[in-house]
Amino acid sequence: MTMTRSSFHMSHAVLSACLILLAAGCGPGKAENNGNNGTTTPTSLTGVAATGAPIGGAQVEAVCENGAVATTATTAADGSYELAVDAGAAPCALRVTSGTTVFYSFTTTTTGTANITPLTDLVMGRAFQAISAVDAVWFAAPSDWSNLAQQVEAALQALKTALEAAGFELPPNFQPFTAAFDAQSGDPYDDLLVSIATSIGLDDGVADYAALRLLFTASQPLPTAPEPITNGLPAPTGDGAALGELDGATGTVGGETFTYTRFERGENVEWGAGNPERTRFNLTAFSTTADGTIEPLKVWRINGFPPAPGTYACGPDADLPTITLATGTTNYVSTDCTVEIISASGPNVEGRFSATFGDEVVTDGYFRVAPATGGGMGLPPGEVGASFDLDGQTYRYDSISNQAFETFEFLVISPSDRNSPGFPLGIQLNTIPAAPGTYACDQTYDGNEYRKVNASFSWNGVGYSAGQRQNPSPGPAGASCTITLTSAGDPVEGSFSGTFVDPDGASLTVTNGLFRHIAP
């Protein structure tokens, strides 16, 4: 699951004591002398970033009281991360960023564990509020550490009280910052995160996580914990094995498994329809013939459920959520079902379901619309298009156009595959002098501040940029790019790399970029 603001490990007795004595600076957070020159010893800080599902492939940053800054490129698929931070740097604030998802945390030691979840973020939001600080602004230039540490402890106790008052079941010895946990169903912390997410989806007054955070920072009551599902159906058990690596839906009715995998990304998933405070998703998975033609009479539909992790039931008070199946000979409609949303982010959703279809009970229902991953090879010699590396994977785009103007090149490079995370906009490399050389984003020519090298990148529906196009102002903070033109004219070819930043400040770094355009 991913919750956004626009849409929760300090374990062990010593670290628990640290939370109580944050202002005093606990022993494990102090510098260690190496016996020679007083320099500190690198230590390892670990934890899990999760929202009820792991936050994988996300950037984790730490800023510490002694001025140390540490960054790891990405979290692992299970949400775990590891940071090398000098002993003695603590206390440290932490931040995880994945697209528009941003959560904060805190640690008094650089040798223990520090989770980063909505639970820790709620605490940090209230602590920042107490010292009149804006979290992102404070994180960029931290100060007033002692006061913040005291407020973290106070906010942690306030969160415990607020959750209990709202009826949430808390793990024993509630320590969301430091408790070891797995971001999967059955873990008490993960179950709590899912329960909180479910309360957001079912409360008309709390549209998203941002609204929940505002409630808590303003010392207002939290939404009531959701009631457990009581429709008498067996719990969903589907694992999606019948889908393999494909999107779609599957389930067994009357001893026969129906697996439909034709899915047009972005066309058959609807988010935000109707009341924006009660967003629902509608997923349609079609069957296809051997030649790929859609069979309109064979389809799974999972409709009307909140796009947030949690367990939901069909019924008259749930805005008509339904599961339907058409097999080509029989149409089934279930208004008695249990749906478990495992993860949800933008148009991507994964879950399982159990349902009754007449006398039949389905327990292995499963559906998935996975994030696009693309993938491919480097640009082969003599071929047109582009290739580049991102997050350890190579992507290949096979469409390129050259819009030369006066003495400058403008290249538009895009994928033709709908399953590419760049589809359909891709990459633009703009205002490159039509002469071999190496150029940098925001570099100007002929004294014209409106003629500057710039580049843009579309990735999973989000626009990123480096440099500023036709504007004397510089590009977004933290962005940069280098474009090398090795040949101008025909072909136009070269290489590129850069760090691209979106409007919310999130970034992605592209390396080993190659491009080639040959006039038709």
Side-chain angles (χ1 to χ4, degrees), residues 132-461:
S132 301
V134 177
D135 43 16
V137 175
W138 182 94
F139 198 85
S143 62
D144 199 9
W145 284 94
S146 178
N147 194 7
L148 177 67
Q150 294 179 49
Q151 296 301 333
V152 168
E153 172 60 20
L156 176 60
Q157 297 305 315
L159 178 63
K160 182 176 184 293
T161 299
L163 290 171
E164 290 175 336
F168 290 94
E169 183 177 350
L170 272 58
N173 189 27
F174 182 60
Q175 292 291 343
F177 285 82
T178 63
F181 81 98
D182 294 321
Q184 59 184 9
S185 180
D187 183 284
Y189 282 95
D190 191 76
D191 290 348
L192 174 59
L193 294 174
V194 170
S195 184
I196 291 173
T198 303
S199 73
I200 295 172
L202 298 180
D203 191 312
D204 282 337
V206 183
D208 51 29
Y209 175 71
L212 180 76
R213 196 176 196 258
L214 286 174
L215 277 181
F216 183 65
T217 57
S219 302
Q220 297 298 309
L222 296 178
T224 302
E227 293 293 330
I229 299 300
T230 57
N231 60 11
L233 284 173
T237 60
D239 60 7
L243 286 173
E245 299 298 320
L246 300 176
D247 290 345
T250 183
T252 300
V253 180
E256 183 176 357
T257 299
F258 299 92
T259 303
Y260 301 152
T261 59
R262 175 63 181 266
F263 179 81
E264 295 292 335
R265 186 176 306 281
E267 295 177 7
N268 295 311
V269 173
E270 301 174 6
W271 303 79
N275 186 341
E277 292 188 352
R278 293 186 68 80
T279 305
R280 294 290 185 258
F281 74 80
N282 299 308
L283 182 150
T284 304
F286 299 97
S287 175
T288 58
T289 61
D291 63 1
T293 303
I294 286 179
E295 296 186 87
L297 299 181
K298 295 183 178 182
V299 61
W300 276 106
R301 289 189 175 92
I302 298 92
N303 294 337
F305 294 91
T311 301
Y312 307 93
C314 297
D317 298 324
D319 292 352
L320 300 180
T322 58
I323 296 177
T324 62
L325 167 66
T327 68
T329 58
T330 306
N331 294 329
Y332 297 96
V333 178
S334 177
T335 55
D336 186 7
C337 67
T338 298
V339 173
E340 178 189 353
I341 308 299
I342 299 170
S343 63
S345 175
N348 309 313
V349 62
E350 181 178 11
R352 56 174 65 95
F353 63 89
S354 58
T356 56
F357 291 132
D359 295 332
E360 301 289 342
V361 177
V362 178
T363 61
D364 65 340
Y366 198 92
F367 54 91
R368 176 174 61 232
V369 183
T373 58
M377 59 183 292
L379 185 65
E383 292 194 15
V384 300
S387 65
F388 55 92
D389 291 348
L390 177 60
D391 290 338
Q393 188 166 358
T394 300
Y395 296 84
R396 168 83 162 88
Y397 286 2
D398 56 8
S399 174
I400 186 169
S401 62
N402 176 25
Q403 302 173 6
F405 176 74
E406 295 181 352
T407 59
F408 296 91
E409 303 284 0
F410 296 81
L411 293 158
V412 179
I413 311 159
S414 60
S416 58
D417 181 4
R418 282 179 173 270
N419 290 324
S420 168
F423 185 86
L425 299 177
I427 308 163
Q428 292 190 50
L429 306 176
N430 302 311
T431 328
I432 312 167
T438 297
Y439 309 97
C441 277
D442 278 332
Q443 187 172 343
T444 60
Y445 297 93
D446 303 328
N448 188 339
E449 60 187 2
Y450 289 91
R451 283 186 171 175
K452 301 191 303 178
V453 175
N454 61 92
S456 61
F457 212 98
S458 176
W459 198 250
N460 278 323

Side-chain angles (χ1 to χ4, degrees), residues 12-39:
H12 314 122
V14 172
L15 300 186
S16 297
C18 285
L19 276 175
I20 300 173
L21 301 172
L22 287 170
C26 251
K30 294 303 181 182
E32 296 177 13
N33 193 294
N34 66 3
N36 294 318
N37 55 14
T39 59

